[in-house]
Structure formats: structure tokens, C-alpha cells
Amino acid sequence: MTLTPARVPATGVRRLTTTLYGYAFLDDFVLLYPVYALLFADTGLSLWQISSLFALWSITAVALEVPSGAWADAVSRRRLLWIGPLLTAAGFALWVAVPSYGAFAAGFVLWGAGGALGSGALEALVYDELDHLGAAGRYAGVMGRARAARLTGTVASLGLAGPVFAQGGYAALGAASVLACVLTALTATRFPEHRKRPGTTGESWAAALRTGLAQVRRDRAVRGALLLVPAVAAVWGALDEYTPLLVRDTGVAEATVPYLIMLIWAAVTLGSLLAGPAERLGTGGFAALLAGGALALAVGAASRSPAGIALVGLAFAGFQLAEVVADVRLQHRIDESRRATLTSVAGLGTELATVAAFGAYALLGAGRSHGTVFAVLAVPYLVTALVLLRSRAATARR
């Protein structure tokens, strides 16, 4: 049967989104997620050592984020999307094979490198493929559902982590996590890629980076959209790593920790599904979303109770939604040839801010409960909300 022109784009979109949702699900279907902080603690690492590992993870991403994004504009984005998960798989294998500070550090370097290869490349590939099919206006909804698929993978891993851990310990969780990464890499090979053949212009990744940064310097709208991404994503992304410790501080049994973490991520998943309607939020509505999330985070974490964890989940859902909307606004303002580069520049800003958040957590955590630290780190979101409102007022005056 010959496809009509109307059905050709529909078929293309379906192939792209099916691959994307499968990739996103598997990429976060990692059974080590809810317990790796506990693995580190059970190995005998101190809070400072654990924080240094998280910082090393981000520092690796900082070093590779922008070069890998520029590389994705110069070579095949699909290729980077299958190489990255294989590096992550090697890191997880190290963790459970030789659990020690050195192995954890090497694993985070591999994980950071794998994440950097996909950061920027995935968003750029999806946006440009949708644009190729005349469906760029669907990007917000597609990426919102992709985040939901990713978070569904996280929630599924949280639900399975408890029984798998009870049966096989950290070794079983590690084996399952390595398998998920390999399946992620295989799924990535199914992505379509129709943009102009990479490498035919003779432009190096360094040249791609220079021209991308030139666009940021001369375009105020691009610059503002780029800075908003780390302002929204960094702090809650760092706090996510400490949620098992926050939950355990509520006094629940060790085996209950993954289920309360699952509650948090179930809320975040639902938040991601609202990305399409949320794209229409104005500056005031976006600021209100951030401020409401900050208040929910502070109250929920400070309560130091299982009931407060639900408020933390609500806050994370708001921040996830805001992160998707911030990415959408950035993608609409940059051109195809520099899309992966500038998305990675935004990712670099996120990683730098995340490293700072890890350091702040370690400093604030000395002698204070995890709930108190979470509440204090809600303040940056209130500050961002105020900055947005002041920017809107200044724009109105002009």
C-alpha cells in the first residue's frame, strides 16, 4: 500500500516517538538508582566522600558537556546516543565488582562521559527530526512524554529494587542496571536521522562551538533562555541524589526507602505529562510554578516525616515541569546547525551549578539534618522566581 503524504509524516513521527520513549524508559530503568547512595555509605564512605563522588560526576560532565555537544553538531548524533549508555554500563559494572572509593569514582567518570555524549544530542535530534516532518510544534508534548517515560523507568526500577535487593543484594541490582544500559544502546540505533550529512561542511567541533557562542553573545533572547535552564534544573537535580538519605532520616525501615522514593518520582512523572499545556505559561505563571515548588520543598523536607515526602514529590514535579518548559523555550530560539552545541552549553551551566549545590550540601550538612539542608536549598528557586518577575516588570516598562 502506498502511503499518502499526510500519512508519511505521521508514520515518521510515530517511529521517532516510539524509539524516543523506549530509549528514555530504558535509560532510567536502572535498579541501582534508589540505593547507590546507600551502597556508598555501606562501603564506609563519609558524607564528604559521597559528595565528592557526586561532584566528580558533575565535573566530568562539565569537562565534556560542551565539546560533546559541538561534536554532535559535527558528526552523527545517533552514534553518540548509543555509545553513551555503553560507557555507563561499564561504570555500573565497576561499582558492584570492586566496591571502593576508587571504583565508585571511575564509575562516575564513565557515567558522566556517557551522559555528556547524550546531552544536547538527544534534544537536537528529536527537535530537528520533528522539524523535518513538519511537526516542530509538537516538541513540548513529545519531550514531556519522553520525560514521563524516563521517569516511569525510574519508578519501575524503584519498585523492583527492593525485591531484587532482598534476593541478590547489590550484585543483582548492578547486573540488571548493566543490562538496561545495553538495551538502551541497542534502542538508540533505531533513531532516524535526516539532517544534512554530518561532516560534509568540513567544520570542526571547535568551529561549531565558536559560532554557537557568538549567537549567545549577540542574541539576548537566546542568552536569557540558556541561563534559565541551569537556574531551574541544577538544585533539584543535586537534591535528587540525597533523597534516599532524606527518606531514611524520617525513621522508616530500610526496605521502605525505595517505595517512598517511588512516590516522589510518580509525582514527577505526572508533572512531565503537563509539559504541553505548561508551554503556554507566561513569565508570571512560570515564576509562580517555581515559588510554589520552593515552598512545598521547604515545608515537606523540614517536616522530617513520611507525609512530608509527598510534598517533596510535589515540589520535584513542579521543578521537572519547569525544566521541560525552559528547554522548550531554548529550542525555539536556536537554529538547527548549533542546536546540540547550545543545548550542551545550557547543560554545562547546569552541571557547574550542580557542583556548587553538591558543595553547599556538604557544607550545610555538617551538623544539620538532611531535612534542614533540603529546606535551605529551596531558597534559590524563590530567588529565580523574583528575578523573572523583575525581568517581566522591566520589559513592561520598556
Side-chain angles (χ1 to χ4, degrees):
M1 181 179 69
T2 302
L3 294 176
T4 65
R7 292 192 61 191
V8 172
T11 303
V13 170
R14 191 178 305 114
R15 177 191 171 187
L16 171 65
T17 56
T18 300
T19 304
L20 172 64
Y21 301 154
Y23 179 90
F25 176 87
L26 290 168
D27 197 35
D28 267 25
F29 185 61
V30 177
L31 271 62
L32 278 171
Y33 275 175
V35 297
Y36 63 71
L38 304 182
L39 169 62
F40 303 157
D42 290 344
T43 306
L45 272 60
S46 67
L47 178 61
W48 270 102
Q49 287 177 308
I50 293 173
S51 294
S52 72
L53 288 174
F54 294 153
L56 177 62
W57 185 17
S58 289
I59 289 169
T60 302
V62 164
L64 299 177
E65 181 79 35
V66 175
S68 68
W71 191 23
D73 279 333
V75 301
S76 168
R77 293 164 180 167
R78 178 173 55 201
R79 184 187 310 163
L80 301 189
L81 291 175
W82 65 257
I83 292 174
L86 296 182
L87 295 179
T88 303
F92 290 154
L94 270 178
W95 283 5
V96 294
V98 281
S100 61
Y101 183 83
F104 298 147
F108 268 126
V109 169
L110 288 168
W111 191 0
L117 290 180
S119 177
L122 180 63
E123 294 86 349
L125 184 147
V126 172
Y127 192 97
D128 287 341
E129 285 301 311
L130 288 172
D131 191 39
H132 170 76
L133 296 166
R138 297 174 59 180
Y139 178 78
V142 167
M143 290 307 291
R145 288 188 289 275
R147 296 289 181 103
R150 185 177 293 278
L151 294 167
T152 300
T154 300
V155 171
S157 70
L158 293 171
L160 288 174
V164 172
F165 181 73
Q167 293 296 317
Y170 290 120
L173 296 177
S177 300
V178 169
L179 176 61
C181 291
V182 172
L183 292 175
T184 305
L186 289 174
T187 303
T189 64
R190 298 290 301 161
F191 274 118
E193 190 171 24
H194 291 99
R195 72 191 181 105
K196 183 178 179 180
R197 180 176 173 82
T200 58
T201 64
E203 183 180 55
S204 68
W205 69 264
L209 175 59
R210 283 194 300 271
T211 53
L213 292 178
Q215 183 182 5
V216 174
R217 286 193 298 269
R218 67 175 178 264
D219 192 326
R220 183 174 180 176
V222 171
R223 188 164 60 250
L226 190 149
L227 291 174
L228 184 61
V229 173
V232 171
V235 174
W236 88 274
L239 291 178
D240 166 39
E241 305 305 327
Y242 298 96
T243 49
L245 302 175
L246 174 72
V247 171
R248 187 159 65 176
D249 263 10
T250 64
V252 299
E254 199 91 351
T256 307
V257 171
Y259 298 108
L260 287 177
I261 302 283
M262 185 168 61
L263 172 65
I264 293 175
W265 288 104
V268 176
T269 302
L270 292 175
S272 296
L273 295 174
L274 299 174
E279 185 182 9
R280 297 190 292 270
L281 282 175
T283 301
F286 195 87
L289 178 64
L290 293 180
L295 293 174
L297 176 62
V299 172
S303 72
R304 297 183 66 181
S305 68
I309 298 301
L311 280 177
V312 174
L314 180 63
F316 278 17
F319 298 148
Q320 170 69 71
L321 179 57
E323 185 178 339
V324 174
V325 173
D327 172 60
V328 171
R329 293 181 178 185
L330 176 63
Q331 298 303 328
H332 285 335
R333 287 168 170 78
I334 53 183
D335 62 71
E336 174 185 353
S337 63
R338 302 293 171 257
R339 192 173 306 285
T341 300
L342 294 185
T343 303
S344 288
V345 170
L348 171 62
T350 299
E351 295 298 342
L352 289 172
T354 301
V355 171
F358 286 142
Y361 199 104
L363 287 172
L364 293 168
R368 297 181 180 86
S369 70
H370 292 287
T372 300
V373 180
F374 268 66
V376 171
L377 290 178
V379 173
Y381 287 105
L382 291 174
V383 173
T384 301
L386 290 173
V387 169
L388 287 172
L389 290 175
R390 291 189 63 180
S391 173
R392 183 182 68 167
T395 300
R397 286 195 299 270
R398 284 197 297 269

